[in-house]
Amino acid sequence: MEVLEQRILKDGTVADGGILKVDSFLNHQCDIGLYNEIGKEFRRHFTGEITKILTIEASGIGIACVAAQYFGVPVVFAKKNKSLNLDGALYTSVVRSYTYDREYTITVSNKFIKPEDKVLLIDDFLANGQAMHGLIDILNQAGATLVGIGIVIEKGFQNGGKSLREKGIDLYSLAIIDEMTPGGIRFRH
Ligand code: 5GP
């Protein structure tokens, strides 16, 4: 997605540990015009039936909510800490955080993902795929159908994308970075 790649080149910065910082437009300050373009592009790609969008807090929520307006479906987000507000049965999965280098448990109430749901997963970044594998685990527990995965920025030099595509999943990443150094960013085309 050309407008996204240009924005990454203009405002993204490469930090230590293979981290791309896009705080000024994607996951701290949010450029809603860009979010809308991202939502439209996901809608253009995922044309089949979708009944719900599932994401993970925190950065995925805004992107998923804007995108959901183009699909006309609710957004559910996995919580990273077990909340006392989550009554009843929960689906849980353990995820290793790439950015914080620790494990955490994600939870989703069984009220909001049902066996008949056809679910699109959305997130801001794909690195090693831990977050997506955790959400897929939750869909499997619920007996729901995974329709596809929409990612804003995939770091193609890490193995998350490869492992998900090898499973035959429709993974659509709007920008795929194959190489990233403080001196430059190279996209896959
Ligand atoms: P994964 O689970 O695929 O290893 O990592 C994806 C998660 O880690 C995303 O939800 C995202 O929040 C975070 N993440 C991974 N790599 C980066 C990065 O380079 N920059 C930022 N800002 N977040 C990242």
Side-chain angles (χ1 to χ4, degrees), residues 108-139:
V108 173
S109 165
N110 73 351
K111 284 188 288 195
F112 302 127
I113 303 285
K114 298 288 184 191
E116 60 272 23
D117 276 321
K118 296 179 171 52
V119 182
L120 173 64
L121 304 182
I122 283 185
D123 204 6
D124 58 344
F125 273 91
L126 177 66
N128 292 321
Q130 297 287 316
M132 288 305 106
H133 284 293
L135 294 182
I136 291 168
D137 181 22
I138 282 176
L139 291 187

Side-chain angles (χ1 to χ4, degrees), residues 18-20 27 59 98-99 123-131 155:
I19 300 276
L20 177 66
N27 53 20
S59 312
Y98 181 78
T99 34
D123 204 6
D124 58 344
F125 273 91
L126 177 66
N128 292 321
Q130 297 287 316
K155 295 190 292 183

Side-chain angles (χ1 to χ4, degrees), residues 68-86:
Q69 297 180 102
Y70 297 96
F71 290 87
V73 299
V75 172
V76 179
F77 63 89
K79 298 194 172 219
K80 282 186 176 166
N81 294 301
K82 216 179 207 170
S83 157
L84 293 175
N85 298 330
L86 284 177

Side-chain angles (χ1 to χ4, degrees), residues 1 37-50 67 70-71 120-122 147-151 165 168-174:
M1 190 179 164
E37 294 310 310
I38 288 167
K40 283 183 212 166
E41 187 57 23
F42 284 145
R43 173 75 267 196
R44 200 190 59 72
H45 179 82
F46 294 105
T47 52
E49 191 195 359
I50 286 163
Y70 297 96
F71 290 87
L120 173 64
L121 304 182
I122 283 185
V147 173
I149 301 178
I151 295 289
R165 290 191 181 92
I169 293 168
D170 181 6
L171 167 63
Y172 184 48
S173 300
L174 303 185

Side-chain angles (χ1 to χ4, degrees), residues 4 13 38 99 104 106 128 148 160 178 180-181:
L4 175 64
T13 53
I38 288 167
T99 34
Y104 56 92
I106 57 170
N128 292 321
D178 270 340
M180 189 172 91
T181 63

